[in-house]
Amino acid sequence: MAHASRTGKGLLDPWQPPVEGDGQPFSLAAIDPGAKPFAKGDKAADRIAVDELAHELDALQDLFRADRRYKLLVVLQGTDTSGKDGTIRDVFGRMSALGVHTIGWKAPNEPELAHDYLWRIHQQVPGAGDVMLFNRSHYEDVLVPVVRGWITPAQTRQRFAHINDFERMLSETGTVVLKFMLHISFEEQGRRLQERVDDPTKHWKFSMGDLDARKQWAKYQEAYEALLGATSSPWAPWTVVPSDSKTHRNLMIATLVRDTLKSLDLRYPPSDPALKGLRID
């Protein structure tokens, strides 16, 4: 089942593709990647707010783990340098490693290619009381193959239907699915890639393949627009996060995760009656 955010719906409207629409592409050109709809003030104020939210998320995650009625899957999807790693570090970094897990999805290996494309994904969804963070996700299978022409438009539509059904099954069995598309501008990506080239400590993050993907920016934007419109559902809605500002990106995502966890009415399990009056010598 879907769980609504406590954040005012009007504030989120421009950033969330319709969940009961006709599946038409969601225009990213109409979304300003430099916008800051959740800003608290200047950058310093926003950083303080992110820090406070990180502490609040830590406490909520402890309660979430104790409650064990739900699982939380957070999908972070975006182009190279959009900030998936930074979001994981800055938003979720204070949570206990005992109940938070992260996986960075790469190109499928040979055993994974021998199965359907969702097989490897299903093995990594969260268990009861766990939070799972996807750095990239199953949505790579409706991005890369589409841009490179490996699958037809009919096969792409079929995969959209597969993914919607997969996420519906997860939701109906207790998994809360939050999907964030980290939206940056072409110019900002260029600056961030240049930083990786100029800083020897960031060379490990840079791949020449990043430049090949950058050359196909327009095609990737088109593929993103198609998947956002086709796979934003009542049980697993998309939120486009303007991410040219790293601090605002963190603030927006942390706020939405916090509000979602609060909406679940989490509670600690009943105490063992044997503990009443117990004194430890």
Side-chain angles (χ1 to χ4, degrees):
M1 58 183 173
H3 302 281
S5 167
R6 290 152 53 97
T7 302
K9 180 59 180 171
L11 181 62
L12 281 176
D13 278 346
W15 313 100
Q16 291 188 321
V19 296
E20 293 178 338
D22 56 7
Q24 292 301 305
F26 180 74
S27 175
L28 288 174
I31 299 291
D32 178 8
K36 300 178 182 179
F38 281 62
K40 302 296 184 183
D42 59 15
K43 188 172 184 178
D46 287 352
R47 282 179 170 169
I48 291 172
V50 171
D51 188 63
E52 291 173 345
L53 282 164
H55 282 287
E56 191 172 359
L57 286 173
D58 180 38
L60 284 167
Q61 184 252 331
D62 182 73
L63 180 55
F64 185 85
R65 186 162 178 256
D67 186 294
R68 292 184 62 82
R69 287 179 296 152
Y70 304 103
K71 310 105 171 178
L72 177 62
L73 173 61
V74 178
V75 172
L76 300 174
Q77 192 68 48
T79 61
D80 295 322
T81 78
S82 60
K84 300 176 290 293
D85 291 356
T87 299
I88 290 170
R89 179 181 62 249
D90 297 332
V91 175
F92 301 95
R94 283 197 175 86
M95 289 182 171
S96 170
L98 291 173
V100 179
H101 312 282
T102 303
I103 183 167
W105 292 102
K106 307 295 184 183
N109 57 33
E110 187 172 346
E112 290 168 344
L113 286 170
H115 295 80
D116 68 88
Y117 66 95
L118 289 173
W119 175 78
R120 64 176 184 158
I121 306 297
H122 204 166
Q123 296 180 74
Q124 298 294 339
V125 298
D130 284 344
V131 176
M132 174 59 79
L133 310 176
F134 277 5
N135 182 334
R136 300 189 187 274
S137 68
H138 41 298
Y139 285 97
E140 290 296 301
D141 291 295
V142 284
L143 285 168
V144 178
V146 171
V147 170
R148 298 192 180 183
W150 295 342
I151 59 177
T152 66
Q155 289 171 319
T156 303
R157 291 191 296 271
Q158 185 182 57
R159 289 192 176 192
F160 289 156
H162 292 161
I163 290 170
N164 283 335
D165 288 341
F166 173 63
E167 292 176 348
R168 184 205 297 267
M169 182 272 293
L170 293 179
S171 177
E172 290 178 348
T173 52
T175 301
V176 179
V177 183
L178 295 179
K179 302 186 300 193
F180 299 107
M181 189 271 177
L182 310 187
H183 182 42
I184 61 172
S185 64
F186 184 76
E187 295 74 19
E188 180 63 20
Q189 187 196 52
R191 284 189 287 271
R192 295 181 185 182
L193 286 173
Q194 189 64 53
E195 287 177 3
R196 293 181 179 182
V197 171
D198 294 342
D199 185 348
T201 67
K202 295 183 178 181
H203 284 178
W204 67 275
K205 290 185 175 183
F206 183 82
S207 167
M208 296 303 291
D210 295 342
L211 299 182
D212 293 333
R214 181 168 167 80
K215 292 175 183 177
Q216 301 182 83
W217 177 272
K219 288 185 177 180
Y220 272 104
Q221 293 295 292
E222 183 179 354
Y224 265 112
E225 291 181 337
L227 75 82
L228 288 168
T231 62
S232 196
S233 61
W235 52 89
W238 275 105
T239 300
V240 177
V241 180
S243 299
D244 275 5
S245 166
K246 299 176 183 179
T247 301
H248 177 270
R249 174 202 71 209
N250 295 336
L251 176 61
M252 184 169 177
I253 292 175
T255 300
L256 295 178
V257 174
R258 186 274 310 275
D259 289 354
T260 297
L261 291 176
K262 283 192 170 184
S263 75
L264 299 178
D265 190 27
L266 299 171
R267 56 182 182 264
Y268 288 105
S271 298
D272 184 343
L275 297 179
K276 186 176 182 179
L278 180 65
R279 294 291 180 267
I280 309 297
D281 295 330

